[in-house]
Amino acid sequence: MRETRLLDTAFDPAALVDRLGAATPQSGGIASFVGKVRGGDGVEALELRHYEPLTLPGIEALADAAQARFALEGLVISHRIGVMHPGDPIVCVAAAARHRRDAILAVDFCMDHLKSAAWFWKRELKAGQWHWIEPRSQDYADLARWSKSAST
Amino acid sequence: MSEPVRVIYLGKLADIAGRSGTRLDVHAGPIDWSYLIDILENKVVPGLGEAVSDDRVMVALNGTLLADKTALVAQEGDEIAFLPPVSGG
Protein backbone atom coordinates (compact mmCIF):
# COMPACT_ATOMS: atom_id res chain seq x y z
CA MET A 1 0.00 0.00 0.00
CA ARG A 2 1.29 3.39 -0.99
CA GLU A 3 -0.80 6.50 -0.57
CA THR A 4 -0.06 10.24 -0.44
CA ARG A 5 -2.85 12.71 0.16
CA LEU A 6 -3.48 16.39 0.75
CA LEU A 7 -6.71 16.88 2.68
CA ASP A 8 -8.70 20.07 3.17
CA THR A 9 -10.92 18.61 5.89
CA ALA A 10 -10.30 16.77 9.18
CA PHE A 11 -9.09 13.17 9.00
CA ASP A 12 -8.69 10.21 11.33
CA PRO A 13 -5.02 9.14 11.61
CA ALA A 14 -5.89 5.94 13.51
CA ALA A 15 -8.10 4.76 10.66
CA LEU A 16 -5.27 5.39 8.21
CA VAL A 17 -2.81 3.37 10.29
CA ASP A 18 -5.38 0.56 10.62
CA ARG A 19 -5.85 0.45 6.85
CA LEU A 20 -2.09 0.26 6.33
CA GLY A 21 -1.90 -2.63 8.78
CA ALA A 22 -4.74 -4.48 7.07
CA ALA A 23 -3.14 -3.94 3.63
CA THR A 24 0.32 -5.22 4.60
CA PRO A 25 -0.06 -8.75 6.00
CA GLN A 26 3.63 -9.46 5.31
CA SER A 27 4.84 -6.65 7.56
CA GLY A 28 6.26 -7.29 11.00
CA GLY A 29 5.56 -3.84 12.32
CA ILE A 30 4.14 -0.42 11.66
CA ALA A 31 5.60 2.87 12.83
CA SER A 32 3.54 6.04 12.69
CA PHE A 33 3.77 9.68 13.60
CA VAL A 34 0.83 12.04 14.01
CA GLY A 35 1.56 15.75 14.11
CA LYS A 36 -1.14 17.97 15.55
CA VAL A 37 -1.74 21.62 16.27
CA ARG A 38 -0.05 22.36 19.61
CA GLY A 39 -2.26 23.82 22.30
CA GLY A 40 -1.28 26.15 25.09
CA ASP A 41 0.84 28.71 23.22
CA GLY A 42 -2.03 31.10 22.71
CA VAL A 43 -2.50 29.75 19.20
CA GLU A 44 -6.17 29.96 18.24
CA ALA A 45 -5.81 28.54 14.75
CA LEU A 46 -3.21 27.40 12.25
CA GLU A 47 -3.48 27.70 8.49
CA LEU A 48 -1.43 25.76 5.97
CA ARG A 49 -1.37 26.92 2.38
CA HIS A 50 0.04 24.98 -0.53
CA TYR A 51 0.77 25.39 -4.24
CA GLU A 52 -0.98 22.65 -6.11
CA PRO A 53 1.57 22.07 -8.92
CA LEU A 54 4.39 21.51 -6.40
CA THR A 55 3.08 20.35 -3.03
CA LEU A 56 1.60 16.91 -3.68
CA PRO A 57 4.18 16.01 -6.38
CA GLY A 58 6.86 16.91 -3.81
CA ILE A 59 5.30 14.58 -1.23
CA GLU A 60 5.09 11.81 -3.83
CA ALA A 61 8.80 12.28 -4.58
CA LEU A 62 9.51 12.10 -0.84
CA ALA A 63 7.58 8.82 -0.59
CA ASP A 64 9.59 7.48 -3.55
CA ALA A 65 12.83 8.44 -1.79
CA ALA A 66 11.73 6.76 1.46
CA GLN A 67 10.76 3.57 -0.36
CA ALA A 68 14.10 3.54 -2.20
CA ARG A 69 16.04 4.07 1.02
CA PHE A 70 14.23 1.72 3.40
CA ALA A 71 12.80 -1.78 2.98
CA LEU A 72 9.09 -1.01 3.29
CA GLU A 73 5.95 -3.06 2.76
CA GLY A 74 3.80 0.06 2.73
CA LEU A 75 3.89 3.81 3.25
CA VAL A 76 1.12 6.35 3.75
CA ILE A 77 1.37 10.12 4.11
CA SER A 78 -1.71 12.27 4.72
CA HIS A 79 -1.25 16.00 5.20
CA ARG A 80 -3.81 18.67 5.98
CA ILE A 81 -4.13 22.03 4.30
CA GLY A 82 -6.45 24.85 5.31
CA VAL A 83 -7.43 26.13 8.75
CA MET A 84 -6.98 23.90 11.82
CA HIS A 85 -7.39 24.33 15.56
CA PRO A 86 -5.42 23.10 18.61
CA GLY A 87 -5.63 19.33 18.85
CA ASP A 88 -6.43 18.80 15.17
CA PRO A 89 -4.20 16.34 13.32
CA ILE A 90 -1.99 18.03 10.70
CA VAL A 91 -0.04 15.11 9.33
CA CYS A 92 0.14 11.35 9.62
CA VAL A 93 3.04 9.32 8.28
CA ALA A 94 2.92 5.55 8.72
CA ALA A 95 5.33 2.93 7.40
CA ALA A 96 4.99 -0.84 7.42
CA ALA A 97 8.08 -3.03 7.17
CA ARG A 98 9.25 -6.59 7.73
CA HIS A 99 11.51 -5.28 10.50
CA ARG A 100 10.99 -2.38 12.86
CA ARG A 101 14.01 -0.22 12.10
CA ASP A 102 13.08 0.37 8.47
CA ALA A 103 9.60 1.46 9.54
CA ILE A 104 10.81 3.75 12.34
CA LEU A 105 13.55 5.37 10.26
CA ALA A 106 11.27 5.84 7.25
CA VAL A 107 8.79 7.79 9.37
CA ASP A 108 11.56 9.94 10.88
CA PHE A 109 13.02 10.56 7.39
CA CYS A 110 9.65 11.59 5.96
CA MET A 111 8.83 13.89 8.88
CA ASP A 112 12.18 15.70 8.73
CA HIS A 113 11.63 16.35 5.03
CA LEU A 114 7.99 17.40 5.48
CA LYS A 115 8.96 19.87 8.21
CA SER A 116 11.63 21.68 6.24
CA ALA A 117 11.48 20.88 2.54
CA ALA A 118 7.80 20.44 1.66
CA TRP A 119 5.87 23.18 -0.13
CA PHE A 120 3.76 24.53 2.71
CA TRP A 121 3.35 28.01 4.08
CA LYS A 122 2.08 28.27 7.61
CA ARG A 123 0.52 31.03 9.65
CA GLU A 124 -0.88 31.20 13.18
CA LEU A 125 -3.77 33.11 14.66
CA LYS A 126 -2.77 34.61 18.02
CA ALA A 127 -4.77 37.25 19.89
CA GLY A 128 -6.90 37.70 16.81
CA GLN A 129 -3.92 38.39 14.50
CA TRP A 130 -2.48 36.13 11.81
CA HIS A 131 1.33 35.78 11.73
CA TRP A 132 3.36 33.94 9.07
CA ILE A 133 5.77 31.38 10.51
CA GLU A 134 9.40 31.65 9.45
CA PRO A 135 11.51 28.54 8.77
CA ARG A 136 13.25 27.18 11.89
CA SER A 137 16.97 26.45 11.86
CA GLN A 138 16.31 23.28 13.89
CA ASP A 139 14.22 21.93 11.01
CA TYR A 140 17.12 22.45 8.58
CA ALA A 141 19.49 20.74 11.04
CA ASP A 142 17.08 17.79 11.33
CA LEU A 143 16.97 17.49 7.54
CA ALA A 144 20.78 17.60 7.26
CA ARG A 145 21.03 14.43 9.39
CA TRP A 146 19.89 12.40 6.38
CA SER A 147 22.58 13.62 4.00
CA LYS A 148 25.49 12.53 6.22
CA SER A 149 26.90 9.33 4.77
CA ALA A 150 27.25 7.77 8.21
CA SER A 151 23.57 8.00 9.11
CA THR A 152 21.21 5.08 8.44
CA MET B 1 -7.60 38.30 -27.28
CA SER B 2 -4.54 36.64 -25.82
CA GLU B 3 -4.67 34.62 -22.60
CA PRO B 4 -3.24 36.58 -19.66
CA VAL B 5 -0.23 35.47 -17.63
CA ARG B 6 -1.33 34.42 -14.15
CA VAL B 7 0.90 35.49 -11.26
CA ILE B 8 0.41 33.65 -7.93
CA TYR B 9 1.70 34.88 -4.55
CA LEU B 10 2.35 32.29 -1.84
CA GLY B 11 2.77 32.74 1.90
CA LYS B 12 3.39 36.23 3.18
CA LEU B 13 3.84 37.52 -0.37
CA ALA B 14 0.04 37.31 -0.67
CA ASP B 15 -0.23 39.69 2.29
CA ILE B 16 2.30 42.10 0.79
CA ALA B 17 0.45 42.00 -2.54
CA GLY B 18 -2.92 42.28 -0.80
CA ARG B 19 -4.25 39.54 -3.09
CA SER B 20 -3.52 35.93 -4.02
CA GLY B 21 -2.73 36.63 -7.64
CA THR B 22 -2.60 39.08 -10.54
CA ARG B 23 -3.45 38.64 -14.22
CA LEU B 24 -1.15 40.36 -16.67
CA ASP B 25 -1.97 41.28 -20.22
CA VAL B 26 0.63 40.07 -22.71
CA HIS B 27 -0.53 41.70 -25.92
CA ALA B 28 2.74 43.63 -25.99
CA GLY B 29 4.74 40.37 -26.09
CA PRO B 30 6.41 37.97 -23.66
CA ILE B 31 7.13 39.15 -20.11
CA ASP B 32 10.72 39.07 -18.90
CA TRP B 33 12.01 39.48 -15.35
CA SER B 34 12.77 43.19 -15.37
CA TYR B 35 9.43 44.04 -16.97
CA LEU B 36 7.62 41.83 -14.43
CA ILE B 37 9.35 43.49 -11.47
CA ASP B 38 8.49 46.90 -12.88
CA ILE B 39 4.79 45.96 -13.18
CA LEU B 40 4.63 44.44 -9.69
CA GLU B 41 6.34 47.44 -8.13
CA ASN B 42 4.56 50.20 -10.04
CA LYS B 43 1.20 48.76 -11.08
CA VAL B 44 0.35 46.26 -8.32
CA VAL B 45 1.81 47.34 -4.94
CA PRO B 46 4.93 49.35 -4.12
CA GLY B 47 7.42 47.02 -2.39
CA LEU B 48 6.14 43.87 -4.11
CA GLY B 49 8.80 43.94 -6.82
CA GLU B 50 11.45 44.26 -4.15
CA ALA B 51 9.89 41.49 -2.04
CA VAL B 52 9.89 38.93 -4.87
CA SER B 53 13.46 39.91 -5.81
CA ASP B 54 14.69 38.61 -2.41
CA ASP B 55 17.23 35.82 -3.00
CA ARG B 56 15.17 33.43 -0.84
CA VAL B 57 12.07 33.77 -3.01
CA MET B 58 11.92 31.05 -5.67
CA VAL B 59 9.94 31.19 -8.87
CA ALA B 60 8.04 28.43 -10.65
CA LEU B 61 6.89 28.77 -14.25
CA ASN B 62 3.96 26.45 -15.02
CA GLY B 63 4.83 24.37 -11.96
CA THR B 64 8.55 23.99 -12.70
CA LEU B 65 11.13 25.72 -10.51
CA LEU B 66 13.49 28.08 -12.29
CA ALA B 67 17.20 27.72 -11.49
CA ASP B 68 17.64 31.41 -12.34
CA LYS B 69 14.47 33.40 -11.87
CA THR B 70 15.92 36.43 -13.63
CA ALA B 71 16.00 34.34 -16.84
CA LEU B 72 12.17 34.12 -16.73
CA VAL B 73 10.25 34.59 -19.97
CA ALA B 74 6.48 34.20 -19.66
CA GLN B 75 4.20 33.76 -22.66
CA GLU B 76 0.43 34.02 -22.85
CA GLY B 77 -1.40 31.52 -20.67
CA ASP B 78 1.65 30.87 -18.45
CA GLU B 79 1.47 30.72 -14.66
CA ILE B 80 4.21 32.33 -12.57
CA ALA B 81 4.33 31.44 -8.85
CA PHE B 82 6.39 33.34 -6.28
CA LEU B 83 7.45 30.98 -3.48
CA PRO B 84 8.89 32.42 -0.27
CA PRO B 85 10.82 30.12 2.10
CA VAL B 86 8.60 27.25 3.20
CA SER B 87 7.69 27.05 6.87
CA GLY B 88 7.08 23.33 7.13
CA GLY B 89 4.09 21.11 7.54
Side-chain angles (χ1 to χ4, degrees), chain A residues 7-122:
Chain A
L7 305 164
D8 59 8
T9 54
F11 73 106
D12 178 0
L16 183 64
V17 176
D18 286 349
R19 276 202 294 126
L20 176 64
T24 56
Q26 306 300 315
S27 64
I30 292 172
S32 65
F33 177 83
V34 177
K36 59 193 193 73
V37 181
R38 207 173 359 254
D41 298 335
V43 174
E44 296 151 30
L46 183 77
E47 182 183 8
L48 278 179
R49 294 199 190 161
H50 77 302
Y51 180 54
E52 187 142 8
L54 292 178
T55 309
L56 189 57
I59 292 174
E60 285 165 2
L62 172 61
D64 288 343
Q67 286 183 305
R69 185 161 181 156
F70 307 102
L72 301 179
E73 297 287 315
L75 177 64
V76 293
I77 303 175
S78 280
H79 209 298
R80 274 295 312 273
I81 51 176
V83 175
M84 290 156 273
H85 297 92
D88 288 351
I90 302 170
V91 58
C92 176
V93 176
R98 301 280 294 168
H99 303 286
R100 74 177 181 284
R101 196 160 311 283
D102 285 302
I104 292 169
L105 288 173
V107 171
D108 200 18
F109 173 86
C110 288
M111 280 309 308
D112 281 346
H113 285 75
L114 286 169
K115 288 298 289 182
S116 58
W119 294 102
F120 291 108
W121 294 271
K122 183 161 62 181

Side-chain angles (χ1 to χ4, degrees), chain B residues 10-53:
Chain B
L10 276 303
K12 67 181 176 189
L13 293 173
D15 285 3
I16 294 170
R19 67 207 80 191
S20 60
T22 302
R23 288 171 175 268
L24 302 178
D25 200 350
V26 287
H27 69 258
I31 293 175
D32 68 9
W33 179 255
S34 60
Y35 181 61
L36 178 61
I37 295 306
D38 181 54
I39 293 173
L40 297 184
E41 190 69 31
N42 297 307
K43 301 267 172 59
V44 182
V45 172
L48 182 58
E50 188 185 342
V52 303
S53 299

